[in-house]
Amino acid sequence: MNSSNWQQNQLATPGTIREVGARDGLQNEKVIVPTEMKIALIKRFIDAGITAIEVTSFMSPRAVPQLADAGEVLEGLGDPGPGVVLSALVGNAKGVRRALDTKQPALRELAVVVSASEEHNRANLNRSVEESLRGLEEICRLAADRFKVRGTVSTAFGCPYQKEIKPEEVFRVIEAMLAAGIVEITLGDTAGMGEPGQVGKLIMGVREQFPGVSLALHLHDTRGRGLQNARAGIEAGVTIMESSVGGLGGCPFIPGASGNVATGELVRMMHQMGIDTGVDLDRLQECQLFLRSVLDKKTV
Ligand code: MG
């Protein structure tokens, strides 16, 4: 959909919020949140009308102790109801096997992350971009019978380790992801360095290079531009937006990276733009209060 179509259809445009707070948010919290609290939080997301939730990650429990209870959280959610799609992050074949062992029919998607920046990929995943890309085929093959695999290109709009990220570096990762069998691409502004003009331009560029590709955006608010960038992405036709309740979550490997775009702010803006997210803002507020009580800290 181009931006003129978007303007014509704006009152009827459906949009999807993918809540990543339980994974991307909590993984940066030092205090381990009890499994039953995580389940209660995610159930509140569902009650608020959120239908796409990245619940947890099957990364090594040693690397991410906060999410060591991935299987228990997913199974503890029981039947989340019709239309809810749960997802989990994986980093390798072992993670996929753990996901396959999990009895949760609404777990229908796995997510993988590869950075457009060589240095960030090494810091975040301890391997080169090339090595990460080589591992995708096995992940997709193992997941194929049960899961859709989506891929995030992190640092797509800038990396503090590397001066600039060229569109070609983003395209290279997307190309390998699609070749491996990944069906949806998320452009991640991991360090919050993107600017609205750049966001629109990169989306157009990706569309040109990969016609028909399904796109999502994962934005951070590090420099206070999260919402402006989200608006630019929506105007360029992206309707799947990732965010976290209360703006929780930074990136442990990027000094000073503040959190993801806050779900409440994003939903409010999308509704003002005439986009129907299906999310109830009052109930979302309850999620935020609950999260605050769990973490015992102020969230925005
Ligand atoms: Mg994030």
Side-chain angles (χ1 to χ4, degrees):
M1 183 169 45
N2 64 33
S3 64
S4 63
N5 280 346
W6 170 77
Q7 273 160 3
Q8 280 159 19
N9 299 332
Q10 61 176 315
L11 291 176
T13 306
T16 300
I17 291 286
R18 185 184 292 136
E19 172 61 44
V20 299
R23 198 283 299 169
D24 192 4
L26 289 184
Q27 76 174 15
N28 292 303
E29 294 295 316
K30 285 192 181 60
V31 177
I32 303 285
V33 175
T35 304
E36 59 272 21
M37 290 293 196
K38 291 175 185 160
I39 293 168
L41 177 66
I42 294 158
K43 283 185 169 171
R44 279 171 165 82
F45 294 158
I46 295 166
D47 287 344
I50 296 174
T51 55
I53 303 170
E54 190 166 297
V55 169
T56 186
S57 105
F58 288 104
M59 293 288 189
S60 150
R62 244 180 321 115
V64 190
Q66 178 70 270
L67 304 180
D69 57 0
E72 286 131 282
V73 171
L74 279 159
E75 291 183 0
L77 285 168
D79 177 3
V84 176
V85 175
L86 305 179
S87 56
L89 189 69
V90 295
N92 54 27
K94 202 171 168 186
V96 180
R97 290 196 185 93
R98 285 175 63 204
L100 287 166
D101 284 342
T102 303
K103 291 171 191 64
Q104 173 49 266
L107 178 64
R108 293 211 288 270
E109 291 180 0
L110 298 181
V112 296
V113 177
V114 179
S115 188
S117 150
E118 192 64 47
E119 291 186 49
H120 178 259
N121 204 70
R122 283 186 191 279
N124 193 29
L125 301 167
N126 200 23
R127 62 192 100 132
S128 69
V129 170
E130 194 55 46
E131 285 168 307
S132 282
L133 293 176
R134 271 205 300 270
L136 296 180
E137 216 160 291
E138 188 185 18
I139 289 175
C140 289
R141 186 164 32 80
L142 285 171
D145 288 346
R146 192 169 143 195
F147 303 115
K148 157 183 161 181
V149 184
R150 51 183 177 77
T152 294
V153 186
S154 61
T155 65
F157 301 98
C159 169
Y161 297 125
Q162 211 170 299
K163 233 182 170 183
E164 177 199 3
I165 299 295
K166 296 191 182 72
E168 292 70 32
E169 292 173 282
V170 176
F171 299 159
R172 168 198 176 202
V173 175
I174 296 176
E175 190 172 5
M177 284 179 164
L178 296 176
I182 281 166
V183 297
E184 182 186 301
I185 302 294
T186 301
L187 299 175
D189 189 14
T190 318
M193 292 170 73
E195 301 193 18
Q198 179 196 10
V199 170
K201 211 169 149 197
L202 185 63
I203 290 166
M204 302 296 192
V206 170
R207 288 259 162 76
E208 246 173 66
Q209 292 284 321
F210 309 99
V213 68
S214 175
L215 276 182
L217 271 179
H218 177 113
L219 300 169
H220 279 229
D221 209 22
T222 319
R223 295 183 180 173
R225 285 199 294 262
L227 281 186
Q228 293 170 47
N229 289 339
R231 180 180 288 272
I234 292 164
E235 285 175 350
V238 176
T239 56
I240 305 168
M241 307 295 286
E242 295 187 352
S243 59
S244 78
V245 160
L248 196 68
C251 177
F253 305 104
I254 292 180
S258 74
N260 295 286
V261 164
T263 305
E265 292 176 13
L266 183 60
V267 167
R268 200 168 291 116
M269 186 188 80
M270 288 170 82
H271 290 180
Q272 280 164 2
M273 292 174 80
I275 294 167
D276 180 15
T277 65
V279 178
D280 180 318
L281 279 165
D282 291 334
R283 289 192 169 181
L284 199 59
Q285 180 70 16
E286 287 166 28
C287 294
Q288 197 171 316
L289 292 173
F290 179 75
L291 177 64
R292 191 181 297 179
S293 73
V294 168
L295 297 175
D296 193 32
K297 74 176 203 189
K298 196 176 177 301
T299 56
V300 284

